[in-house]
Amino acid sequence: MDITKRFLNYTQFDTQSSEESQSVPSTAKQLIFAEYLKKELEAEGLSDVEMDEMGYIYATLKANTKKPTPTIGFISHYDTSPDCSGANIRPRIVENYDGGDIVLSEGIVSSPKKFPELLSHVGEDLIVTDGHTLLGADDKAGIAEIVQAMCWLRDHDEVEHGNIRVAFNPDEEIGMGAHHFDVERFGCEWAYTMDGGDLGDLEYENFNAASAKIRIKGVSVHPGYAKGKMVNANRLAAEFIAMLPADETPEETEGYEGFYHLLGIQSGIENATLSYIIRDHDRRRFEERKDFIKAQAAKMNEKYGEGTVEADVNDQYYNMKEKIDPNMHVIDIVLKAMQETGVPPRVEPIRGGTDGAQLSFKGLPCPNIFAGGVNFHGPYEFVSIQVMQKAVDVIVKICELTAKYHD
C-alpha cells in the first residue's frame, strides 16, 4: 500500500476528541480507529502489537542487527481537533498544483492570496478537503508516515536498524495525549513525535502552558430595586477581561512572545466563568503571568469583597527545551537525516505544545518533526503527498543513522 492510499483510508474514520468529556479516550469513536490501526500493524508484520483499554497502541519493528543500538520510537496521535468537524471527510487530490485558487466546494475557495503557504507546493500533488470538514493530516499524516516507514524498513533488510518502537495515542488535541502514555512500557532511549507542520519543521522548544478558570460570584436582585445590593457577574467579568494587557493576546504576538488567551465566557448575573490559557516560552515570565492572573483576582476581591472572584490556575505542560538541551544528539541525528534526504531544516519554536513536551518531562526526550499538514484544524487544511513521502524518508534515515550512533 502506498502512503497516499494509507492516509486516505485513515481520513474516513471520525476521531474527533472532546474537551467536554471526562472519559479516556474522550470519545468512543476514537477506539474504532484504534482497533483498525492495531489490526493493520499486525497485518503488516510488526511485533508486540498491543492496545490498552484507553486506546494507546504500542508496537515494535524488530532489529535486524546484533550490534548494540539504542531503541528509539516514533509517536503520532490519531484524534482530530474539536475545532472543526471530522465526520464524513471527502478528500480530493489536486494533481500537479499550478499555484492558483483551489475550489473546494461551491463558494468555498482555498486561495494563495489568503493562504500563501500553497505557493510552496506548486508542482506537487495536494490532498484537500471539500471545504466542510478538516482533513485530519493532524495527525493521521504522521501515523501514515510512521507505518509506511516501518513497512519500507521491513522490506529492505540491507538497511541496518535497531529495535524501533511506534506508538499511537488519543486525545492530543485536548492536551491529554501524553497523560496516560506508558513511557516505561514504550522502552525507548528517546523518541520523535511526527506532528509538525510543513516540510523541514523541527521543533524542540514550545510554550510553557497553564489553564486558568476565573469564577465570579454575583448577587441577583430585581433591577428596579438593585441599588447597593446587586453584584452583576456579567459586568465584573468584563472588568476582569479589561485588566489583562490587550497587546498580550494570540492575535497580537509572535515568535517567543507569550500571551493570555480568552477561550470562552459563560456568564449571567449570579455567576460568570472565564476560561483562559496562559503561554510563554520563558519559564520565569510564565510564572509571572500566572501570578498576574491571581493578583487581578485579588484586586477585585479587595474591591467587591472576599470570595467574589476565584482564580484556579493549573499547569498543563512545560518547555521541552529544558530536557532536550542535555540530549542534543537527538537533534543532531534528525538534522543529519534531513541533510541526507534533501530536506532543508526549519528549526523554530512551537507556539503551542505537543505530546512530546509532556513526554520529555516524563523522561523520554521527544522533539517534534514535520508531518506535512498545513492550515490544521479547519476546512482549508491540506497536505502534500510529496512532503509526506519526504517525512517517510527522514524516518527511515533516522533509524539508519541511530544504528550507527555508537560506531
Side-chain angles (χ1 to χ4, degrees):
M1 184 185 300
D2 66 19
I3 193 164
T4 304
K5 183 177 180 181
R6 197 180 299 278
F7 172 70
L8 292 176
N9 281 349
Y10 294 167
T11 66
Q12 299 310 293
F13 291 84
D14 179 7
T15 56
Q16 189 178 46
S17 49
S18 171
E19 293 177 308
E20 308 305 317
S21 171
Q22 300 301 312
S23 64
V24 182
S26 63
T27 53
K29 56 191 176 184
Q30 292 184 68
L31 290 175
I32 297 173
F33 178 63
E35 289 284 1
Y36 172 89
L37 190 54
K38 176 178 179 288
K39 291 176 182 176
E40 182 177 80
L41 294 173
E42 291 169 339
E44 294 291 10
L46 273 73
S47 304
D48 310 321
V49 181
E50 53 184 337
M51 185 179 82
D52 67 20
E53 67 280 3
M54 294 177 287
Y56 287 72
I57 302 169
Y58 307 92
T60 306
L61 180 68
K62 293 290 189 183
N64 63 358
T65 179
K66 293 183 178 180
K67 68 181 181 182
T69 303
T71 297
I72 64 169
F74 295 90
I75 303 166
S76 288
H77 66 91
Y78 52 74
D79 67 312
T80 60
S81 171
D83 294 345
C84 184
S85 173
N88 301 312
I89 295 173
R90 296 182 175 87
R92 174 168 64 91
I93 299 175
V94 178
E95 295 182 349
N96 191 23
Y97 172 59
D98 62 6
D101 289 354
I102 300 173
V103 178
L104 303 178
S105 288
E106 185 176 354
I108 304 175
V109 177
S110 183
S111 171
K113 293 177 182 177
K114 186 173 183 179
F115 303 108
E117 302 88 352
L118 283 163
L119 297 177
S120 298
H121 299 282
V122 173
E124 299 174 8
D125 303 314
L126 308 185
I127 304 177
V128 301
T129 76
D130 68 352
H132 298 288
T133 68
L134 48 65
L135 179 62
D138 180 12
D139 190 24
K140 288 170 184 167
I143 298 174
E145 291 152 7
I146 292 170
V147 176
Q148 199 71 21
M150 296 305 103
C151 292
W152 192 94
L153 286 167
R154 175 201 65 198
D155 296 339
H156 292 79
D157 205 45
E158 71 276 11
V159 176
E160 286 192 334
H161 60 83
N163 283 331
I164 309 299
R165 293 280 278 163
V166 301
F168 307 116
N169 60 267
D171 290 342
E172 188 271 351
E173 296 292 359
I174 59 171
M176 300 295 291
H179 282 215
H180 301 283
F181 192 103
D182 193 332
V183 169
E184 184 176 350
R185 185 183 201 172
F186 197 41
C188 294
E189 293 189 34
W190 69 84
Y192 303 95
T193 51
M194 300 299 298
D195 191 22
D198 212 343
L199 181 70
D201 281 1
L202 172 59
E203 301 156 330
Y204 62 94
E205 296 181 69
N206 60 275
F207 277 139
N208 296 291
S211 64
K213 290 281 188 183
I214 313 302
R215 297 181 175 89
I216 301 170
K217 294 180 180 178
V219 178
S220 181
V221 179
H222 188 290
Y225 308 95
K227 185 172 182 180
K229 301 173 185 176
M230 178 183 286
V231 178
N232 191 332
N234 293 303
R235 189 175 59 78
L236 268 61
E239 184 175 338
F240 185 93
I241 291 168
M243 295 170 76
L244 301 190
D247 60 347
E248 295 182 24
T249 61
E251 57 267 41
E252 298 290 339
T253 54
E254 61 183 354
Y256 285 95
E257 296 170 339
F259 56 74
Y260 307 93
H261 179 36
L262 180 59
L263 288 177
I265 304 171
Q266 293 179 316
S267 188
I269 293 173
E270 288 193 322
N271 294 283
T273 300
L274 306 176
S275 299
Y276 280 93
I277 58 173
I278 304 166
R279 300 289 189 263
D280 210 291
H281 281 89
D282 182 85
R283 187 65 174 264
R284 179 187 60 80
R285 181 70 179 118
F286 173 63
E287 298 298 332
E288 290 174 351
R289 288 186 182 280
K290 292 188 295 179
D291 290 343
F292 182 76
I293 287 276
K294 295 174 185 176
Q296 305 321 299
K299 285 182 181 179
M300 292 195 71
N301 283 329
E302 289 176 10
K303 183 176 180 180
Y304 295 104
E306 194 62 35
T308 303
V309 179
E310 175 188 327
D312 185 13
V313 180
N314 292 290
D315 290 355
Q316 295 173 307
Y317 53 82
Y318 304 108
N319 190 345
M320 75 170 87
K321 189 175 189 294
E322 292 181 35
K323 301 300 180 181
I324 300 297
D325 278 349
N327 297 282
M328 282 303 290
H329 62 279
V330 174
I331 301 300
D332 294 339
I333 288 172
V334 182
L335 291 173
K336 186 171 176 58
M338 287 185 176
Q339 178 186 19
E340 294 192 12
T341 54
V343 174
R346 302 193 310 177
V347 182
E348 297 179 348
I350 311 171
R351 286 184 59 80
T354 72
D355 285 337
Q358 297 179 54
L359 293 172
S360 293
F361 279 87
K362 292 176 77 170
L364 180 68
C366 196
N368 192 37
I369 299 174
F370 71 95
V374 183
N375 297 335
F376 293 153
H377 298 189
Y380 299 99
E381 183 183 5
F382 71 89
V383 66
S384 161
I385 293 172
Q386 284 78 7
V387 172
M388 284 199 296
Q389 184 56 55
K390 277 293 185 182
V392 174
D393 297 343
V394 169
I395 294 170
V396 168
K397 185 59 68 172
I398 288 171
C399 297
E400 181 182 355
L401 292 173
T402 302
K404 302 174 182 177
Y405 177 63
H406 288 303
D407 287 355

